[in-house]
Amino acid sequence: MLQTYCIDCHNATDWAGGVAFDTMTPADVPHEIDIWEGAVRKLRGNLMPPPGNKQPTQAQKDALVGWLETSLDARHETPRAGHVTAQRMNRTEYANAVRSLLGVEIKVEDLLPPEIEMDGFDNIAAALTISPSFLDQYIGAARFISKRAVAGHAKLTKTTYLSSANETRDMPLGSRGGFKFRHFFPADGEYRVSILDDLTGGLYTNPALFRQTVVIFLDGKEVFRGDVGGKEDLGLADREAGQGREKINGRFANIPVKATSGTHEFTVTSLERAHALSDENIGGGNANNGARINSVEVAGPFGETSIGHSLTRDKIFVCTPKNAADEKPCATKIAQHLATQAYRRPVTDTDVVKLMAFYDAGRKDIGDFDGGVQEIVMGVISSPDFLYRIIQPQGDGKALQPLAPLELASRLSFFLWSDLPDDELLQLAESGKLTDAKVYAQQVQRMLADRRAEALVTGFAMRWLNVDDLKAVTPDPDLFRGFNDNLREAFSTEIRMFLEEVLLQNKNVVELLSADYTYLNADLARHYGMRGVLGPQFRRVTLTDPNRFGLLGKSAVLLRTSYGNRTSPVLRGAWVLETLVGAKPTPPPPGVSTNLDQKDGAKPTTLRDRLELHRQNKTCNQCHGVIDPIGLAMENFDVTGAWRTRDSGQPVNASTVLPNGQAINGVAQLREALQARPDQFVESLTEKLLMYAMGRTVEPADMPQVRAIVHTAARDNYRFFDLVMGVVTSDAFRMQGPAPAAAPAKDTKTVASAR
């Protein structure tokens, strides 16, 4: 195989890619892991030999890949693990940990800067560096959170919530529009809620507005109901114009609401009304448009307040001093309690002494017991023991070592929950029982059944698929007039709920490609050209169009792999290769033009025509010859994922020949081609899952463990929990390798003379 297809380029004369196969023998394969794991990856993705060169058959490639993997796996050192440096909490983990420790909900994006990502993940230890300015922001966040948590002095505040930044799914049945948000009330008392939008809409200029009923819920209980629109409001707006509108909107401002201290959930929405039930069809229109509610303000507290019991204070104040003499012993107990949970280990006397210094300063400067406790909280959540997970080296640190039980508990919890380990997991770790294989497996199953395992969808799966930030692409409003923020949110909700079903219900992960079901509301169903789905609520829908099956039919994927003004077979093909096949294509060389937009004044052509011109360059074709055919099969989807049959006035041609020589026509046949090699897809998923779990990049020497996990999971149809169990029981997850040796310092004299 090498002599026939590879050595013409990869030889000791040309050294293409820095590889010379003519200097190697089959016996060298187990000893040149980096080179041969790279060869396996390129062969699996049909990246080599490059298009235009003589090609082996798929059977020949499969035979070579099988032999190489067998040779590499036989060489696998057991145990084998890489090294993870000190790992800081990312923003999501920090917010979750603060909520678990203190019961405080925070908008972490308002307090801390974004993280640096590696391969789409924001929990990779090597990228989680911290600068002096970053440290200042952590201290500022700790100060803000500690004040909110203790809430000893409730000051009047106003907070505005926007629908675009809050939850719009799982709204009450029979509701239309609006959104949910969580608000922290610093004390028991009266608060005032105001809807900031102009609820009259086009009432004065368009007499088609039906009467709408706006409803506000607090923790699921109705606290307000009021009507807007209809004949009375139309008459008021007609008589008094602008002042009339102000009077109407004034009914939805400064609405009094009584609440206890702590975090509570508001739902602000309007009732869904059937067109046939309305007797106020003044001029046509749609009774189900609903009142447009996009922004809500909560102000308070007003009048007398009191600091009562709340989830937050109860988590902190495990004791209450009866007199001045009781204050310090009680503060010491609070410090021990918080630090034990936050540091994820038993606390020492030294830990407590440090925190009591914070207490003394707060008691003196703020002037009361609560002020001292507030400073304890700040000291705890700004401590490196809270912010970092550090695997302590054993001995000289130069040997492979198992993680200590408490270290393993933290790694397991942040993997499955993106959160602190709970009391049960910590107690088992502290007692040493967590290292028992049966107990360990039981804990993993328990944690996967917990609602916090949803972090595997939002933290892992959405990032693996690169659909966690759909705002990165803004469709041109002149070209895609039906697109809006509500539809973008629907894209995100659909794929999140779809991933939750496949992963958290422990299904065969190949269903991510093949599933004939999805989750839709009326807006998204209309976008997909489907009938019979009514209302804003998402529900499970069986698909009949095979073009919509699985990930390849999801608008979230299709939007994220497009530009704002056009689709991109290049982005889509590269996404399939990297994400679903596990073979990342080579990026274009510097200086190469990648702009395939239609030129102004030129005769309209399809994107396929422009790509074919681009591929006529042999250098370009080496990559595009692999990428483009995959992406072209998806061309019936426009930027927003809507189905189309024409591009620039020309018929869309989605027929293509895949890099392995297989002819296909359209996205459904592309999906079938991917499903035909399920182990390849599952291996790609598992590699990323292991990376996310460990907090480091997967190295070539880790790949035998990845393949072993996949082979084991194949026995029960690749169920997701089996993949998770394979990851958490692997050497790579449960052990720590020695730190890599520092690179030798360069001899500047030698470098200078060489120049």
Side-chain angles (χ1 to χ4, degrees), residues 447-631:
M447 295 173 74
L448 286 170
D450 191 281
R451 63 171 182 79
R452 284 168 286 187
E454 290 178 4
L456 286 170
V457 172
T458 55
F460 164 68
M462 299 279 279
R463 288 182 172 276
W464 162 56
L465 297 171
N466 194 28
V467 292
D468 56 301
D469 181 16
L470 297 186
K471 292 182 180 179
V473 180
T474 302
D476 187 324
D478 292 330
L479 299 175
F480 305 99
R481 295 182 180 180
F483 183 82
N484 54 42
D485 286 339
N486 288 336
L487 199 55
R488 189 199 311 270
E489 181 65 26
F491 294 173
S492 183
T493 300
E494 176 197 20
I495 197 162
R496 182 171 66 247
M497 296 180 75
F498 173 67
L499 290 168
E500 286 173 357
E501 171 162 348
V502 177
L503 302 185
L504 301 185
Q505 292 185 25
N506 194 25
K507 295 191 172 184
N508 182 339
V509 295
V510 180
E511 282 194 28
L512 292 173
L513 297 177
S514 64
D516 64 349
Y517 55 84
T518 192
Y519 287 82
L520 303 176
N521 67 357
D523 290 343
L524 189 52
R526 190 179 308 113
H527 184 69
Y528 285 172
M530 297 177 61
R531 296 181 178 180
V533 178
L534 304 176
Q537 292 81 19
F538 278 80
R539 76 296 310 264
R540 192 180 191 273
V541 176
T542 299
L543 300 168
T544 57
D545 180 1
N547 294 303
R548 287 288 177 193
F549 289 4
L551 291 171
L552 296 183
K554 300 287 179 288
S555 276
V557 170
L558 299 161
L559 174 67
R560 196 63 182 86
T561 53
S562 298
Y563 296 111
N565 62 339
R566 64 170 176 83
T567 59
S568 175
V570 178
L571 291 181
R572 288 177 176 176
W575 182 86
V576 169
L577 280 170
E578 181 176 356
T579 307
L580 307 184
V581 178
K584 186 175 182 178
T586 306
V592 173
S593 175
T594 58
N595 187 354
L596 295 172
D597 290 349
Q598 181 80 48
K599 293 181 179 179
D600 292 340
K603 181 181 178 181
T605 58
T606 64
L607 186 54
R608 182 187 188 110
D609 293 334
R610 302 195 291 276
L611 275 172
E612 288 176 354
L613 287 173
H614 192 68
R615 286 200 304 273
Q616 289 178 4
N617 183 315
K618 185 177 179 181
T619 302
C620 296
N621 191 51
Q622 287 188 355
C623 292
H624 282 273
V626 178
I627 298 170
D628 295 357
I630 297 172

Side-chain angles (χ1 to χ4, degrees), residues 176 208-210 212 273-275 281 283-290 526:
R176 180 76 174 179
L209 181 70
F210 290 87
Q212 299 289 343
R273 301 185 67 190
H275 185 99
N281 186 354
N286 186 350
N288 276 333
N289 282 338
R526 190 179 308 113

Side-chain angles (χ1 to χ4, degrees), residues 180-192:
K180 293 180 179 181
F181 61 90
R182 295 178 68 81
H183 179 76
F184 177 78
F185 296 90
D188 298 354
E190 180 181 300
Y191 296 80
R192 293 173 189 170

